[in-house]
Amino acid sequence: MKKGLIYICIMMLLQHTSIWAKEQRMEKILLSTALKEQKITLKGISTKEPYNGKGLRITIENITRENLLLVMDSAIIMRPENAENQNLIIGGTELLAINAGKPRILELQTYCGESDDQAPVAGHLYHFESTGSSNMGKVLAFVKANSVSNDMAQHAVWVLTNKHSLSDVYDYNNPELSRKLVAYMGQLLGLDAPQYFTVKEINAIQGAAVRPDKTLKLVANLQWTLSAPEKLSLSIYNDKNERVASYFTGKDFIKGRYDLNASFETIDYPSGDYTIRLQTNTQEVLKEIKVRLE
């Protein structure tokens, strides 16, 4: 029995050593560098998946006589052969082992580069365009490391490519991670953290406009301190100072410090300027947040 176990252990060790030795013989190189040095070819084809899902199936072929260990650049911009489609951005950092003279096919996570354009259509060819900015690479690395949802990651990309507001970067099911990502992006871009967030639907229908025009929800974070018990009301008002909806009215609060995420369903609200107002029964305003809805 012991001899059998020893034999198995020896065989496993030899196998591991063989794999390790094989990896040591591989040249480790950035994908963009390998393309520049003509060590590989790369082409992609758009899939039936959403543009912020596994949107590209890529084929990488090693055209050298040496095995390669490719390091995917942290943000890779892929250009469509058909100008009617738009760029797709690959979130990289993967390690890919590709043997000499062999192709490798895989589907990769992508994000759409232009919010004002149409969603890519399946079956179109894509080619390497360039690597993204340093900030794009850092944001996509954060997205991958923290398992950020595809929709929130897409909104984060549009902040970089289309100068969308940081208030669009929000996952209603994960407010803590939302604030963490926004704080990180604010630090990178030199932007202040927004006082409120918007939840917008992403249109991933192929061939349709992707721009998320309508705000589904509005989420505001309010912090305040009471030195004595109070009855408070929290409501949203339009630009005519008419109350549109209330989160609560005349609610009793005891002395203490409060931190509240209040959400309003805004899908039927017309575009315009709004104000979220926290006030006492005597109309004293404790907090007020100005909001612009598209």
Side-chain angles (χ1 to χ4, degrees):
M1 182 67 178
K2 288 184 178 179
K3 289 183 178 179
L5 287 173
I6 292 172
Y7 175 78
I8 291 172
C9 290
I10 291 173
M11 293 303 294
M12 289 177 66
L13 179 61
L14 288 172
Q15 184 180 25
H16 176 77
T17 303
S18 175
I19 293 171
W20 178 84
K22 188 175 181 180
E23 288 180 348
Q24 300 312 301
R25 292 194 296 271
M26 288 185 172
E27 179 187 358
K28 192 173 182 180
I29 187 172
L30 273 173
L31 181 141
S32 56
T33 303
L35 281 168
K36 185 178 180 180
E37 296 179 0
Q38 298 184 340
K39 294 186 175 184
I40 62 170
T41 61
L42 168 66
K43 64 180 179 179
I45 186 165
S46 50
T47 71
K48 294 181 180 180
E49 294 297 311
Y51 53 76
N52 63 331
K54 301 284 187 178
L56 268 183
R57 180 181 300 109
I58 68 168
T59 301
I60 303 174
E61 185 168 2
N62 180 356
I63 54 178
T64 73
R65 295 181 179 180
E66 302 293 330
N67 296 333
L68 298 175
L69 188 61
L70 288 182
V71 182
M72 297 283 286
D73 302 72
S74 54
I76 298 170
I77 300 172
M78 298 290 288
R79 172 182 49 82
E81 195 168 273
N82 184 336
E84 293 182 1
N85 278 316
Q86 66 159 300
N87 290 349
L88 287 172
I89 300 169
I90 298 173
T93 71
E94 287 91 350
L95 286 174
L96 300 174
I98 304 182
N99 292 330
K102 299 290 184 179
R104 183 160 178 184
I105 301 172
L106 62 160
E107 293 186 357
L108 294 177
Q109 174 70 48
T110 58
Y111 303 99
C112 128
E114 297 294 332
S115 64
D116 294 328
D117 212 333
Q118 295 180 333
V121 176
H124 285 260
L125 291 174
Y126 276 75
H127 301 284
F128 177 83
E129 171 76 8
S130 62
T131 57
S133 66
S134 172
N135 284 340
M136 176 75 76
K138 290 174 182 177
V139 168
L140 290 181
F142 180 101
V143 163
K144 184 172 182 179
N146 292 274
S147 301
V148 170
S149 70
N150 289 349
D151 282 5
M152 183 160 70
Q154 179 62 78
H155 283 297
V157 168
W158 283 333
V159 170
L160 299 167
T161 60
N162 295 104
K163 298 184 178 179
H164 282 203
S165 170
L166 277 178
S167 63
D168 291 349
V169 182
Y170 191 77
D171 182 351
Y172 189 75
N173 296 312
N174 199 337
E176 183 178 348
L177 180 57
S178 302
R179 286 193 291 268
K180 185 177 177 182
L181 174 55
V182 165
Y184 179 69
M185 292 185 68
Q187 185 178 24
L188 282 180
L189 304 174
L191 299 173
D192 293 332
Q195 290 185 293
Y196 64 90
F197 294 96
T198 54
V199 179
K200 295 182 177 179
E201 185 177 16
I202 284 181
N203 185 7
I205 298 173
Q206 296 192 351
V210 303
R211 183 174 174 81
D213 286 322
K214 198 64 184 173
T215 301
L216 306 180
K217 288 179 186 292
L218 177 64
V219 182
N221 178 254
L222 297 102
Q223 300 175 7
W224 71 94
T225 301
L226 293 177
S227 58
E230 285 277 8
K231 283 184 180 293
L232 302 180
S233 297
L234 177 60
S235 302
I236 185 168
Y237 297 82
N238 61 20
D239 56 0
K240 297 177 182 178
N241 204 32
E242 298 169 334
R243 187 171 64 183
V244 178
S246 293
Y247 193 73
F248 54 75
T249 56
K251 184 176 179 180
D252 289 315
F253 286 84
I254 62 173
K255 175 183 176 180
R257 188 178 185 279
Y258 293 88
D259 188 332
L260 172 71
N261 282 327
S263 64
F264 297 89
E265 302 285 339
T266 58
I267 188 169
D268 294 324
Y269 288 18
S271 299
D273 296 315
Y274 293 83
T275 302
I276 298 170
R277 192 174 295 142
L278 176 70
Q279 58 190 11
T280 68
N281 271 10
T282 59
Q283 306 303 308
E284 179 189 355
V285 176
L286 301 182
K287 287 286 181 178
E288 193 171 76
I289 299 175
K290 301 293 185 182
V291 175
R292 175 70 187 176
L293 292 182
E294 301 299 334

